[in-house]
Amino acid sequence: SLAMLATTAQAAELPRVRLEGGASQLIVDGKPFLILGGELGNSSAGAEAQADTVLPHLASLHVNTALVPVAWDQLEPQEGSYDFRVLDHWVEVARRQNMRLVLLWFGSWKNGFSEYAPGWVKADGARFPRARAVDGTPLEILSTFGEETLKLDRRAFAALMAHLRQTDKQQTVLMVQVENEVGLVGDGRDRSAEADRAFNSAVPASLVQALQSKRGELTPELAAHFNPQGRNWKEVFGDAADEVFMTWRYASYIDSVAQAGKEQYALPMYLNVQLPAPLERAGEYPSGGPHPYYQQVYRAVASHIDFYAPDIYWPEFEYWVQRYQALGNPVFIPEARLQVAPYNALYAYGQARGFGFSPFDIDSLPAPGKDGGQDPLMMQVYGALKQLGDMLPAAQADNRTRGMVLHAKSPRATQTVSLGGYLFSGTLARSWPEKTLLTDDGAMLVLESAPDEFFVVGSGLHVNVRRDPDTDARVAGISSIEEVTRSGAGWTVLQRLNGDQSNQGRQLMMDPRQIRIYRVRLHAF
Ligand code: N0T
């Protein structure tokens, strides 16, 4: 019947990424799937047996999706023969834990370097040429000009994707990251003879045209250098030429790898990046990665890449998220600094309305209750978001969520968001009456669940509520604050916050040490 047909069609539908009302969504089995993610440490996924301890540990932390490397040298130990045993076991254990995976293809490059290329590739510098330093020294970095290298990276990646198509009917694997934090480390540009020749030749007309057609929308960093009247790279891109040249090279190479994979199995594919720190020069950070400054070059060249995603270790978390959004990317953070991740996550899901967040080195967190009786805060965040369930993606798509994060060293002491006719202003929690800071970090996600009713997930903030003057000139007040927990389809009240715990009804005062879910009812008169 028709209904049956619809079910079969749905089961075969591949995961896909979309923007919905300004929110980012990953559609899995026909509905939005929120990735409560975590990326494994680099040496945590190389052996089969590690899956048996690592994945149950992650599941116990409420992680629903693990970001797991797949290393080219392990996949293709001898040229042309592939070994999927480690991967197959990880997929099988993930299924048993009811978890999903995002695979990270550590192929020609991982953090600039080519450590994960097979030994037989690394040993043959003639067939698989290296990038070179200014003095001609070969680097531990495969050159983007290696035609055989590209051919074999494509072939191995295609073999991986074909294997997934055949063996992963349940779609345990949701997406694939192609390579990892690419770019040339050490110098701004590959100085091999072939690279120098290309650098001194004409910039491809297709690239110049693509950038010219976006003239009004170019990032300030690209616009400052772009001169379409020039001919060679130096003339067209001025002081940015070295890096834009590398950007073009990596974009073309990686797009070709992604294309070979998609021909086998068209999962969403994205690229991550090591972000430049302020005042760093290309080469100090990997030169030619898809960071925001020159990302439009990737967008002009790499049509098989679905989106770009930042690894955010720097303090300006919101700034980097916004720069990626401004370029049209859905919000997914494949790597984030673990120590501040519980706070930044609430911004990513609440304010940026992202579909996923993933602290790096997640497996290093202690097991529930093992840290002086405490559950890791990251686990508490994911636990709370899990309780919000389908309410959260629905509210994201309806523009009914907000979020904020504050640190003792933040440039701003107060942050304000507007939702449902009210302004919510958060400051870091302080003691009474001494007024000393009770915590260095605070954050919250606010979700409007009904008129005048809000679920607030967070920790460490004191929140004042005012009427949003853009809505009307009424006066706002707090009707009730309850700490709640999910029970079945409804909510159980664990405690009502009154008196000293609500500053006499005037403030939401969050626990400075635990992530909690508050249901706040407001009124205006
Ligand atoms: C990340 C991780 C892992 C001077 C670092 C972050 C992961 C890779 N790179 O632990 O290696 O595989 O993607 C780069 C951050 C740069 C910091 C430079 C400090």
Side-chain angles (χ1 to χ4, degrees):
S1 72
L2 256 181
M4 276 252 317
L5 255 173
T7 341
T8 357
Q10 224 175 46
E13 188 191 320
L14 291 180
R16 71 201 154 88
V17 170
R18 70 172 186 205
L19 290 171
E20 181 72 18
S24 308
Q25 295 189 327
L26 174 66
I27 303 297
V28 180
D29 299 330
K31 59 178 206 142
F33 181 88
L34 214 58
I35 291 185
L36 309 176
E39 180 165 329
L40 300 183
N42 292 156
S43 306
S44 302
E48 272 178 69
Q50 284 172 303
D52 303 325
T53 51
V54 169
L55 290 177
H57 173 49
L58 264 52
S60 79
L61 299 172
H62 300 309
V63 170
N64 69 9
T65 306
L67 278 67
V68 179
V70 176
W72 184 11
D73 62 336
Q74 284 188 274
L75 196 84
E76 192 178 1
Q78 276 124 40
E79 185 171 351
S81 78
Y82 299 100
D83 180 349
F84 296 105
R85 268 175 307 179
V86 175
L87 172 66
D88 287 345
H89 186 66
W90 276 78
V91 172
E92 184 193 315
V93 179
R95 274 186 201 141
R96 255 189 269 139
Q97 295 296 324
N98 203 8
M99 287 178 75
R100 307 278 189 153
L101 299 177
V102 171
L103 298 185
L104 316 175
W105 174 239
F106 288 7
S108 295
W109 302 286
K110 190 266 177 198
N111 290 56
F113 294 98
S114 297
E115 180 193 2
Y116 288 80
W120 51 268
V121 169
K122 290 192 277 195
D124 192 344
R127 193 173 160 210
F128 307 108
R130 306 298 181 85
R132 292 194 180 247
V134 185
D135 65 2
T137 317
L139 305 170
E140 296 292 336
I141 299 173
L142 290 162
S143 170
T144 57
F145 286 89
E147 281 170 27
E148 276 283 288
T149 325
L150 172 58
K151 199 168 117 197
L152 294 203
D153 189 331
R154 280 174 58 101
R155 193 177 71 178
F157 188 60
L160 167 65
M161 296 311 293
H163 182 75
L164 289 176
R165 184 192 69 231
Q166 288 151 11
T167 56
D168 189 26
K169 303 282 184 223
Q170 303 176 41
Q171 293 178 347
T172 297
V173 178
L174 298 177
M175 307 197 290
V176 181
Q177 177 189 293
V178 191
E179 316 289 349
N180 188 80
E181 293 193 351
V182 298
L184 195 76
V185 184
D187 189 19
R189 182 179 113 220
D190 179 358
R191 306 286 175 149
S192 62
E194 228 190 321
D196 279 347
R197 218 174 303 122
F199 183 74
N200 292 315
S201 314
V203 176
S206 57
L207 176 60
V208 175
Q209 274 156 23
L211 296 180
Q212 227 175 343
S213 72
K214 296 244 168 207
R215 200 80 208 251
E217 303 157 37
L218 293 183
T219 61
E221 294 85 357
L222 197 50
H225 299 292
F226 182 49
N227 167 25
Q229 266 70 59
R231 208 184 88 83
N232 66 31
W233 289 84
K234 198 75 208 169
E235 289 163 8
V236 178
F237 295 107
D239 286 347
D242 284 5
E243 187 174 10
V244 176
F245 175 74
M246 291 314 298
T247 305
W248 167 66
R249 291 302 309 169
Y250 281 107
S252 311
Y253 187 110
I254 298 167
D255 186 58
S256 176
V257 174
Q259 174 186 31
K262 278 203 167 169
E263 276 166 15
Q264 297 303 323
Y265 188 39
L267 288 182
M269 293 186 186
Y270 72 91
L271 305 188
N272 70 338
V273 72
Q274 177 180 328
L275 294 168
L279 305 182
E280 254 184 354
R281 290 164 50 86
E284 289 169 347
Y285 64 88
S287 173
H291 57 71
Y293 305 167
Y294 310 131
Q295 194 180 99
Q296 284 155 328
V297 172
Y298 273 85
R299 294 177 156 272
V301 169
S303 59
H304 300 90
I305 299 301
D306 294 87
F307 65 95
Y308 301 86
D311 297 344
I312 312 182
Y313 293 82
W314 309 140
E316 305 81 7
F317 185 84
E318 304 104 300
Y319 168 79
W320 292 110
V321 172
Q322 285 167 26
R323 287 228 42 179
Y324 272 69
Q325 282 186 295
L327 286 157
N329 294 295
V331 175
F332 173 67
I333 316 296
E335 294 182 35
R337 205 160 81 85
L338 187 58
Q339 292 76 6
V340 283
Y343 308 99
N344 288 332
L346 293 171
Y347 174 87
Y349 294 109
Q351 186 68 19
R353 296 188 279 151
F355 71 75
F357 179 87
S358 164
F360 181 74
D361 214 9
I362 187 90
D363 49 302
S364 70
L365 286 178
K370 280 283 147 60
D371 186 12
Q374 292 278 312
D375 291 343
L377 275 193
M378 198 63 232
M379 169 189 174
Q380 296 187 30
V381 169
Y382 284 165
L385 299 185
K386 224 165 145 180
Q387 292 185 48
L388 295 179
D390 291 344
M391 242 165 92
L392 182 49
Q396 284 179 319
D398 260 7
N399 199 14
R400 283 186 288 107
T401 66
R402 296 290 182 273
M404 69 172 66
V405 52
L406 280 168
H407 307 288
K409 289 189 218 116
S410 298
R412 277 172 300 183
T414 307
Q415 289 238 37
T416 301
V417 292
S418 171
L419 182 61
Y422 297 95
L423 296 178
F424 297 80
S425 297
T427 55
L428 287 180
R430 286 177 186 273
S431 65
W432 187 87
E434 303 87 353
K435 302 239 181 230
T436 49
L437 280 184
L438 291 172
T439 170
D440 280 346
D441 309 280
M444 68 174 175
L445 174 151
V446 190
L447 183 158
E448 184 191 7
S449 47
D452 300 332
E453 184 191 85
F454 302 85
F455 282 80
V456 182
V457 174
S459 162
L461 298 182
H462 287 173
V463 184
N464 288 309
V465 182
R466 280 170 294 148
R467 192 68 182 161
D468 185 343
D470 287 342
T471 303
D472 56 45
R474 290 190 289 165
V475 175
I478 295 176
S479 302
S480 65
I481 305 172
E482 300 158 315
E483 188 198 333
V484 296
T485 187
R486 171 76 94 172
S487 54
W491 295 89
T492 299
V493 177
L494 297 173
Q495 120 173 267
R496 285 180 65 94
L497 297 175
N498 292 318
D500 292 348
Q501 283 69 51
S502 68
N503 200 357
Q504 324 313 322
R506 295 179 302 155
Q507 273 189 323
L508 164 61
M509 300 165 86
M510 299 178 167
D511 190 325
R513 264 165 266 292
Q514 313 286 337
I515 300 287
R516 302 201 186 278
I517 307 176
Y518 304 93
R519 184 170 58 194
V520 180
R521 296 202 167 105
L522 304 176
H523 57 255
F525 62 95

